[in-house]
Amino acid sequence: MARIKPLILFGLIGILSSFNIASAQKLTVQQKVDALVKKMTLAEKIGQLNQYNGDWDATGPVTKDVGNKLDAIKRGEVGSILNITGVKHTRVFQEAAMQSRLKIPLLFGQDVIHGYSITFPIPLAEAASWDIPAIERSARIAGTEAAAGGVHWTFAPMVDIARDPRWGRVMEGAGEDPYLGSLIAGARVRGFQGKGLGNLDAVMACAKHFTAYGAAIGGRDYNSVDMSLRTLWEIYLPPFKAAVDAGAATFMNSFNDLNGTPASANSYLMRDILKGKWGFKGFVVSDWGSIGEMINHGYVKDNYEAARASINAGSDMDMESRSYINNLAKLVADKKVSVAVIDDAVKRILTKKFEMGLFDDPYRFSNADRENSVLNAPAHIAAARDMADKSIVLLKNENNLLPLSNNLKSIALIGPLVKSKAEMKGFWAQNIGDESKIVSLYEGMQQAAPNTSLLYAKGCDITDTSKAGFDEAYKTAMQAEVVVMAMGERPDMTGEAKSRSNIHLPGVQEELIQKIMATGKPVVVLLMSGRPMVFNWTADHVPAILYTWWLGNQAGTAMADILFGKYNPGAKLPITFPRTEGQIPIYYNHLNTGRPAHGDNDVNYTSAYIDLPNSPKFAFGHGLSYTTFNYSNLKLSKKSMQKDGAITVTFDLQNTGKYAGEEVAQFYLRDLVSQPVRPIKELKGFEKVSLQPGETKTITLTINKQKLSFYNDQLQWITQPGDFRLMIGSASDDIRLEDGFTLL
């Protein structure tokens, strides 16, 4: 019996241990967080609010180092690391965190903006697809790959509305419209986060930049923003609200001040709106160094004051400025920041770490086998090609020059971007995937037309002032049946800190286009860029133009798909293309004036330029197809509605051409008489419809209170009785059907 007792005792301990584990597992995340916070010292709490760059590629100005960051992690002074990827490297940092007193795991953040190992089209290009499920799938794949690479958190989506193409970060968002932008914001959040945090293929999304960053004065990055609160609520806030509704785990502050208060210390944005009115339960991270940069704004005198202002306003985590780690303890001692404020921020961050399952297994995202199997999966490559196909906008196609015949004997490929590979990735691409797997236009054409002779001449470099290559390009063009030209920007000409006052096609490229047009050969121009460019001569004289943006790994394959008609383009512009910089800002949903210009020639005492048309070069929503579509048979279920009622709208859409194709039918409304006044038209719905030649589909839309509501001067969400104009068409400037109704 003496030998049995220890065994019985051991068994009882095991049973009790199992009971305790089972009980612990029944605790809610909130209970676990509360219990952990009670064990934490003030220094450990402050450490959770501190984020450092991982000494790899910096995505901002590098702050003076703090010494060995691994030692700081072991001391519990770091809550998150950015710019460390790959399971091997993230494990090293996580192992350091496991040597801290409380073993609180790190969060690894990364700018996974449009793909991880497989690069997808830039976000503005994806927005041109108007294909919400495809955009969600793109983010889903990016999130899956990033999670397999040890990343927990992406600093995306950027949901800033942008009406100024001079702003370099226009490439990172969804364009100018709050309705379209809101749908895309929700799709990308859902894509990144998948079935929910804690799944091994999900990363935390981060809606940025909160807020109005896209309205920086002069289109100059990091610049001030000055706007009415009504414009803020109607135009710039809706995509952020959509991100909250989609369950975004985190938000990021913007660099700009808004009406004189830097976003990093703007309690109206973070306390009143985000965490108050919207009930956001996640946490807010600053942008790179933005808390410390409030000194430059002239808002605070030093990092001590910067930390006080930001933490009290609702900024939970300090990215790279060192303001929190160096000052919060003293601020608490000086009674300028309460422990309750610190605790709220810490709890928000710890909640996400628990939800990600990192306390159960801090290395669960550091599995080398999963990383190897997930990255570059064939299905991901196919999805990248499909997304690229859907993102190319056919701006012009005179005399149906496109699609090209598969029977052509020779095609001249001319331009600085014909054989480019790395450039196809665009700005914000991860340097993780193998660049040999990027398909250039030249390679895509080789694959698509193996029996066609491809002639090549570069002609010039992207920003060349030299025309030395023009003659060779001219001679090459003369030998071919058709000329395809690949022109545009370098990727580092559009992106963060890449604002441009001159957004014309760079260098002598347009002069090269003129030279090649002089051959008399049929010419197709492909324009590769991260923003709307100005290319008036090309737009007026070249018969066929495709705007291909930056399309990622499958760029060349997708361009060839479109050129040869394997895929019929259906993309539409998500942002207005100006005629010149003097029109900026330019957007479709503007207010009318007391002296509106009726057409581009109406310039006598009207709101117009005397040296330039008011109209854009290419309007919001513009995009052609190889087939044609007819809109007809518009019907409204009734011509008036009560405030809480609804009107059903139907119309027929028919493919009247010879190719199967997709059309984005766009639904606009105008409130004809309103106080305050309303825009000349507002996008309130759209449907992307696939039709076979000769096929007709009846499209149904619903007009309800939500579509007729707006913010008044007191920021109340209201409807006003009166008359409305319904407009349905192929673009904001191509309305095919119109009717009116009355709100009683």
Side-chain angles (χ1 to χ4, degrees), residues 208-236:
K208 65 182 189 184
H209 305 81
F210 199 57
T211 189
Y213 189 33
I217 294 171
R220 200 168 73 244
D221 218 347
Y222 317 118
N223 206 7
S224 298
V225 173
D226 188 39
M227 68 171 55
S228 71
L229 291 181
R230 191 161 67 88
T231 297
L232 176 72
W233 278 90
E234 288 208 333
I235 305 299
Y236 293 90

Side-chain angles (χ1 to χ4, degrees), residues 123-169:
L124 187 62
E126 291 191 350
S129 74
W130 294 54
D131 193 321
I132 305 305
I135 293 169
E136 181 172 338
R137 181 183 61 179
S138 170
R140 179 84 291 273
I141 291 171
T144 298
E145 290 192 345
V151 175
H152 306 139
W153 179 18
T154 174
F155 302 125
M158 191 196 89
V159 302
D160 296 303
I161 296 299
R163 293 170 160 183
D164 190 333
R166 295 173 299 180
W167 187 50
R169 300 194 80 163

Side-chain angles (χ1 to χ4, degrees), residues 354-372:
F354 272 108
E355 289 175 355
M356 292 292 288
L358 295 175
F359 282 95
D360 297 325
D361 179 4
Y363 307 112
R364 63 198 306 264
F365 291 90
S366 297
N367 184 305
D369 291 337
R370 183 167 65 244
E371 183 179 38
N372 292 332

Side-chain angles (χ1 to χ4, degrees), residues 198-379:
N199 288 283
L200 288 172
D201 61 353
V203 294
M204 298 194 306
C206 183
K208 65 182 189 184
H209 305 81
F210 199 57
T211 189
Y213 189 33
I217 294 171
R220 200 168 73 244
D221 218 347
Y222 317 118
N223 206 7
S224 298
V225 173
D226 188 39
M227 68 171 55
S228 71
L229 291 181
R230 191 161 67 88
T231 297
L232 176 72
W233 278 90
E234 288 208 333
I235 305 299
Y236 293 90
L237 285 180
F240 288 99
K241 179 59 164 61
V244 171
D245 292 343
T250 67
F251 264 51
M252 180 185 287
N253 290 325
S254 53
F255 285 110
N256 57 280
D257 68 271
L258 176 64
N259 300 337
T261 302
S264 296
N266 197 315
S267 61
Y268 175 66
L269 295 178
M270 290 182 284
R271 295 289 186 200
D272 296 352
I273 299 175
L274 181 61
K275 296 178 178 179
K277 185 178 180 67
W278 292 351
F280 176 65
K281 302 302 182 184
F283 70 86
V284 179
V285 62
S286 77
D287 209 335
W288 186 295
S290 67
I291 292 176
E293 289 171 11
M294 292 193 297
I295 301 168
N296 293 337
H297 279 276
Y299 190 74
V300 294
K301 66 179 181 180
D302 54 27
N303 286 95
Y304 175 87
E305 287 298 315
R308 177 196 58 77
S310 293
I311 193 72
N312 285 333
S315 290
D316 301 305
M317 183 178 285
D318 175 11
M319 181 192 290
E320 271 294 303
S321 88
R322 320 297 201 252
S323 298
Y324 284 5
I325 195 70
N326 293 334
N327 295 284
L328 281 183
K330 189 174 188 310
L331 283 162
V332 171
D334 294 344
K335 301 188 183 304
K336 293 187 176 181
V337 172
S338 70
V339 173
V341 167
I342 301 285
D343 284 355
D344 177 67
V346 172
K347 287 179 180 181
R348 288 172 179 271
I349 294 165
L350 292 178
T351 295
K352 295 308 169 189
K353 292 184 177 185
F354 272 108
E355 289 175 355
M356 292 292 288
L358 295 175
F359 282 95
D360 297 325
D361 179 4
Y363 307 112
R364 63 198 306 264
F365 291 90
S366 297
N367 184 305
D369 291 337
R370 183 167 65 244
E371 183 179 38
N372 292 332
S373 66
V374 169
L375 301 192
N376 297 301

